[in-house]
Amino acid sequence: MDFTADQLLQYNGADPSKPIYVAIKGRVFDVTTGKSFYGPGGSYVMFAGKDASRALAKMSKNDEDITCSLHGLTEKEIGVLDDWEKKFEAKYPVVGRVVLKIETFISILFMATRNSVFTNPKPCKHLADYKLRHGLSGYKSLQKWLKTFPNGKTSIKMCEKKMPKCSFCSGIHQGRLFLCLICPSVSCSDHTLLHSQSENGHDIAVYDLDFDKVVVARNIMDMPSKTRDSVVDDLMRRSSKRRRFNSVVDLDLKRSKFFVWMRNRRAKSCYPLGLRGLNNLGSTCFMNSILQALLHAPPFRNYFLSERHDRETCRKRSSDQSCVACDTGVIFSAVYSGDRAPYSPAQFLYSWWQHSANLASYEQQDAHEFFISVLDGIHEREGKERYPNKDNGDCQCIAHRVFSGMLRSDLTCTTCGFTSTTYDPCVDISLNMDTSNFSSVDVANKSVRPNEDTGRSTLLACLDLFTRPERLGSDQKLYCQNCQEKRDSLKQMSIKRLPLVLSLHIKRFEHSSLRRTSRKIDWHLKFPFSLDMTPYLSPSIVRNRFGNRIFGFESDEADISAEFEIFAVVTHSGMLDSGHYVTYLRLQNQWYKCDDAWINEVDETVVRASQCYMIFYVQKMLYYKANEDLSCTPMPARRDPFVPIAGCC
């Protein structure tokens, strides 16, 4: 069906009897099922009944960008638009196309011509000399490689990509290949020396299959030792963001010992199994940081490595091709395969976008919000389909069996002392930072890192603050069943049931609805590596409230340990809108820094000084069980390493 712009506008959600349409690149999609986003009051209501191509490409909600014109968009923005189109194709049906009126088309063409930034460059004298000597034959041979797009941009056609092979043995190698800087020769490590010896003056360079990183070997080796060391240190410092822990330099050259020494000086040759970098796919450090923590949560890891989530069965059970749980299992298989090259979780990112459409963008997201969303995505497939009649508190999906605990909330009437109790399941605990040890200046600035003299905020103080009785304000009076009217009351939180993996979220981002401002809290937080949660359990809190009198508690979960060991810390550095997430992992009592694709060992003092945002603890028994040496060999696919623990199996 063909629509004019005026006809398309009639399907903007204003008439409840009509569907809601949104056009992308001239194709009209029926987005009625996404009414919460595109309908009245939705986040993207401004797109309804219009062609939102330019706005989606620029990730903009401005009215002037809601148009079909693609003129002036960068290649990156065109790529963003293509991704949006794929998402719409996967989720919404196509019902027609938009037909532009001739006057509209001429207007767009006129504006594009008037505002065109594509001007002819000044003539080049070198090209003019070439044409005089050789004619136009060279130019004509280039024409077949040029491609012009409708928006006026010209680019070079990409030739068919082939796997690089050694010119001598024609073999495809998984390791590094070597390029000649003079001729197009490519050689493997067995034949690199042969080429450099047979062709006088041909320099050899290392070809990294992943990053196209080229280092001229001979020129560096011929430098004086002092100059060479300074140049190498400078190169390594500038390329530290691209260094990977497994980049073993396996050169069959006479001087290769220098490169091996240079690499061994900065990293160990063998890290624990499962320690693998994750490539940043465009502001996805928030995702990589949480995935690293999930990949090393012992009971969560054991579940997926033992293939408890059967991907084939899952696909047969549901028509939805994207599954967060399935793609989580794929990441586990890849990370624990023994391959050390950084992994790109692109399919997982797409599945998460499908599950959380409101967060699907190339912008930085909150790591804590992503953590909750991922567990919800796993629960949606594992819990709701397998155990449809159970709520989150009793759900047996792996997300809740590992991370779910139970909070207890006691409301006590200050007049008669009557207490009402409610229980709420949770997968994490959000803690406010305790400021009792800070001066008024520190609290006002919120950017001062305290020292030993001024005191510092501690995790234990935050937990004390979380379980401390809080007097509700006069505007929060609650109905007392005993007094039969609204009364002032005290609220106190405690932990009824501990999870196997305890995730603590430190509230570092403040949002003021009155001032309409947001800011980050940069206070330093001291946290222990071993944590005893006994003082924060409901029995301890209630006994302290009544003077340590002995009470009988049903289901005290005596078989669940209250002693935890830290295994992951997610940190946030930078400002609110331009920060970066990094994860520190504790494996076999050694700390490792996971910064997207780059992993290296760090001292525990670095971890203690970091600006923690989420802290992950696991029950002490599971921590020491997980620290048993897994060796540096891949884990068999069918091995069942899931440890039977009360409340988990």
Side-chain angles (χ1 to χ4, degrees):
M1 180 184 296
D2 293 342
F3 297 88
T4 64
D6 294 336
Q7 292 173 336
L8 181 63
L9 191 59
Q10 298 177 10
Y11 298 90
N12 61 359
D15 187 350
S17 63
K18 292 184 178 180
I20 302 176
Y21 291 164
V22 173
I24 298 179
K25 294 167 69 173
R27 302 168 67 196
V28 181
F29 293 87
D30 186 346
V31 298
T32 307
T33 55
K35 186 176 181 180
S36 58
F37 298 106
Y38 304 101
S43 304
Y44 304 95
V45 65
M46 68 288 300
F47 294 163
K50 300 176 183 177
D51 191 316
S53 300
R54 188 178 189 86
L56 292 174
K58 299 180 67 174
M59 303 295 291
S60 168
K61 294 183 181 180
N62 297 330
D63 292 337
E64 60 269 19
D65 290 326
I66 306 176
T67 175
C68 61
S69 174
L70 305 182
H71 171 69
L73 295 179
T74 64
E75 293 184 5
K76 182 178 180 181
E77 290 171 338
I78 292 294
V80 172
L81 179 59
D82 292 340
D83 290 340
W84 275 109
E85 187 178 19
K86 291 178 182 178
K87 282 190 246 181
F88 270 70
E89 288 174 348
K91 194 168 185 179
Y92 304 117
V94 179
V95 296
R97 62 190 180 93
V98 179
V99 178
L100 293 179
K101 296 180 180 179
I102 185 63
E103 54 269 22
T104 305
F105 177 77
I106 293 176
S107 175
I108 293 176
L109 184 61
F110 172 74
M111 292 298 295
T113 304
R114 188 181 67 175
N115 299 325
S116 177
V117 295
F118 302 103
T119 59
N120 292 328
K122 296 180 179 180
C124 174
K125 64 176 183 178
H126 304 96
L127 293 179
D129 293 341
Y130 177 88
K131 285 188 286 186
L132 289 176
R133 290 197 302 266
H134 305 286
L136 299 177
S137 58
Y139 287 88
K140 292 180 179 178
S141 64
L142 292 175
Q143 288 180 352
K144 62 180 181 179
W145 297 106
L146 299 178
K147 181 180 180 182
T148 303
F149 293 93
N151 60 6
K153 287 189 176 182
T154 301
S155 63
I156 300 176
K157 290 183 180 179
M158 299 299 293
C159 59
E160 181 181 357
K161 294 183 179 179
K162 295 182 179 180
M163 182 69 68
K165 298 181 180 180
C166 175
S167 303
F168 294 90
C169 61
S170 298
I172 299 177
H173 296 262
Q174 296 296 327
R176 294 196 174 196
L177 294 176
F178 302 86
L179 296 177
C180 177
L181 299 182
I182 307 301
C183 70
S185 174
V186 178
S187 54
C188 62
S189 58
D190 296 330
H191 300 100
T192 299
L193 193 59
L194 178 62
H195 177 75
S196 61
Q197 291 176 344
S198 61
E199 301 291 341
N200 186 26
H202 284 220
D203 288 337
I204 299 299
V206 183
Y207 177 67
D208 192 316
L209 291 173
D210 297 305
F211 287 124
D212 294 337
K213 178 182 176 182
V214 178
V215 180
V216 181
R218 202 184 81 176
N219 292 343
I220 294 180
M221 291 303 303
D222 290 342
M223 292 179 181
S225 59
K226 292 184 178 180
T227 305
R228 180 181 62 195
D229 291 342
S230 62
V231 170
V232 170
D233 289 338
D234 182 64
L235 286 173
M236 292 303 296
R237 182 171 60 255
R238 285 184 293 169
S239 63
S240 62
K241 280 215 163 190
R242 309 193 81 176
R243 190 192 330 143
R244 299 145 84 170
F245 72 91
N246 70 321
S247 55
V248 180
V249 183
D250 187 19
L251 305 178
D252 189 16
L253 298 171
K254 292 181 180 179
R255 297 162 182 171
S256 62
K257 291 183 179 180
F258 167 75
F259 290 97
V260 175
W261 167 82
M262 182 176 66
R263 175 213 171 262
N264 287 339
R265 189 175 67 172
R266 291 166 174 82
K268 288 189 175 180
S269 60
C270 184
Y271 285 113
L273 182 65
L275 198 57
R276 184 176 182 182
L278 299 176
N279 287 322
N280 193 308
L281 305 178
S283 299
T284 58
C285 59
F286 70 93
M287 175 182 72
N288 293 342
S289 61
I290 294 298
L291 286 180
Q292 289 287 9
L294 295 178
L295 287 167
H296 295 88
F300 197 71
R301 175 202 65 193
N302 297 339
Y303 177 88
F304 281 100
L305 289 183
S306 58
E307 296 185 354
R308 297 291 186 90
H309 181 82
D310 192 330
R311 293 194 288 271
E312 295 299 326
T313 304
C314 183
R315 290 191 183 96
K316 294 178 181 178
R317 190 167 56 235
S318 175
S319 58
D320 189 3
Q321 295 298 315
S322 61
C323 172
V324 175
C326 289
D327 292 316
T328 301
V330 171
I331 296 179
F332 270 96
S333 300
V335 168
Y336 286 89
S337 66
D339 188 355
R340 298 297 187 181
Y343 178 74
S344 296
Q347 181 58 43
F348 175 88
L349 178 62
Y350 177 75
S351 295
W352 177 67
W353 276 354
Q354 295 292 98
H355 169 71
S356 304
N358 59 319
L359 300 176
S361 72
Y362 287 99
E363 296 179 352
Q364 180 73 274
Q365 302 293 341
D366 180 70
H368 174 247
E369 189 174 2
F370 171 78
F371 171 72
I372 300 298
S373 177
V374 168
L375 294 187
D376 181 68
I378 295 175
H379 163 71
E380 187 174 274
R381 186 56 60 93
E382 284 264 316
K384 291 184 179 179
E385 294 188 2
R386 292 189 181 185
Y387 315 100
N389 297 325
K390 293 188 176 182
D391 58 19
N392 291 355
D394 299 323
C395 179
Q396 294 301 305
C397 75
I398 186 59
H400 287 99
R401 287 160 61 190
V402 173
F403 294 97
S404 180
M406 187 73 69
L407 294 179
R408 169 172 170 161
S409 175
D410 292 331
L411 289 175
T412 303
C413 176
T414 57
T415 302
C416 67
F418 177 80
T419 300
S420 62
T421 302
T422 56
Y423 299 96
D424 295 301
C426 66
V427 294
D428 74 321
I429 299 177
S430 294
L431 301 175
N432 290 308
M433 298 189 72
D434 179 59
T435 61
S436 57
N437 292 331
F438 289 86
S439 66
S440 58
V441 176
D442 294 335
V443 174
N445 291 336
K446 297 193 175 183
S447 61
V448 179
R449 176 176 169 176
N451 52 38
E452 296 298 333
D453 297 329
T454 61
R456 67 174 69 212
S457 182
T458 67
L459 181 64
L460 298 183
C462 294
L463 288 168
D464 290 336
L465 182 63
F466 178 76
T467 56
R468 186 181 305 166
E470 174 189 5
R471 180 177 294 274
L472 300 181
S474 57
D475 57 336
Q476 296 178 299
K477 289 185 178 181
L478 298 177
Y479 183 80
C480 176
Q481 298 180 13
N482 188 44
C483 298
Q484 297 294 311
E485 61 178 302
K486 288 186 176 182
R487 296 287 194 184
D488 292 332
S489 57
L490 291 174
K491 179 181 179 181
Q492 187 170 27
M493 301 294 298
S494 60
I495 302 173
K496 171 64 177 175
R497 185 183 70 239
L498 287 167
L500 297 179
V501 175
L502 177 65
S503 56
L504 301 177
H505 165 232
I506 311 302
K507 295 181 180 179
R508 288 195 176 273
F509 302 119
E510 275 190 348
H511 305 280
S512 174
S513 57
L514 296 177
R515 299 180 180 179
R516 296 182 180 179
T517 58
S518 300
R519 62 179 174 179
K520 182 188 173 186
I521 303 174
D522 288 329
W523 294 332
H524 181 259
L525 182 73
K526 183 180 179 181
F527 52 90
F529 289 176
S530 298
L531 179 63
D532 186 1
M533 293 295 291
T534 302
Y536 313 105
L537 297 178
S538 297
S540 301
I541 295 296
V542 175
R543 289 186 184 115
N544 289 337
R545 188 191 308 160
F546 292 97
N548 290 326
R549 282 187 285 174
I550 299 177
F551 292 88
F553 290 89
E554 297 181 1
S555 301
D556 274 353
E557 304 288 348
D559 53 342
I560 299 296
S561 173
E563 295 184 348
F564 287 80
E565 287 289 326
I566 195 171
F567 73 92
V569 179
V570 175
T571 68
H572 182 273
S573 59
M575 305 301 292
L576 181 66
D577 299 325
S578 59
H580 182 61
Y581 290 99
V582 170
T583 297
Y584 292 96
L585 294 175
R586 186 188 182 200
L587 305 176
Q588 300 174 4
N589 289 323
Q590 173 61 50
W591 283 98
Y592 299 89
K593 179 182 179 181
C594 302
D595 187 355
D596 289 332
W598 312 281
I599 296 180
N600 59 288
E601 288 186 4
V602 295
D603 189 76
E604 69 174 49
T605 56
V606 176
V607 183
R608 293 187 185 277
S610 64
Q611 205 169 90
C612 60
Y613 182 56
M614 293 189 71
I615 310 176
F616 293 86
Y617 290 88
V618 64
Q619 288 190 14
K620 182 170 290 190
M621 179 174 58
L622 292 178
Y623 174 79
Y624 289 115
K625 180 68 177 176
N627 268 342
E628 293 180 359
D629 189 15
L630 296 175
S631 78
C632 291
T633 56
M635 184 174 292
R638 289 293 177 183
R639 181 180 173 188
D640 187 357
F642 197 89
V643 183
I645 299 295
C648 188
C649 290

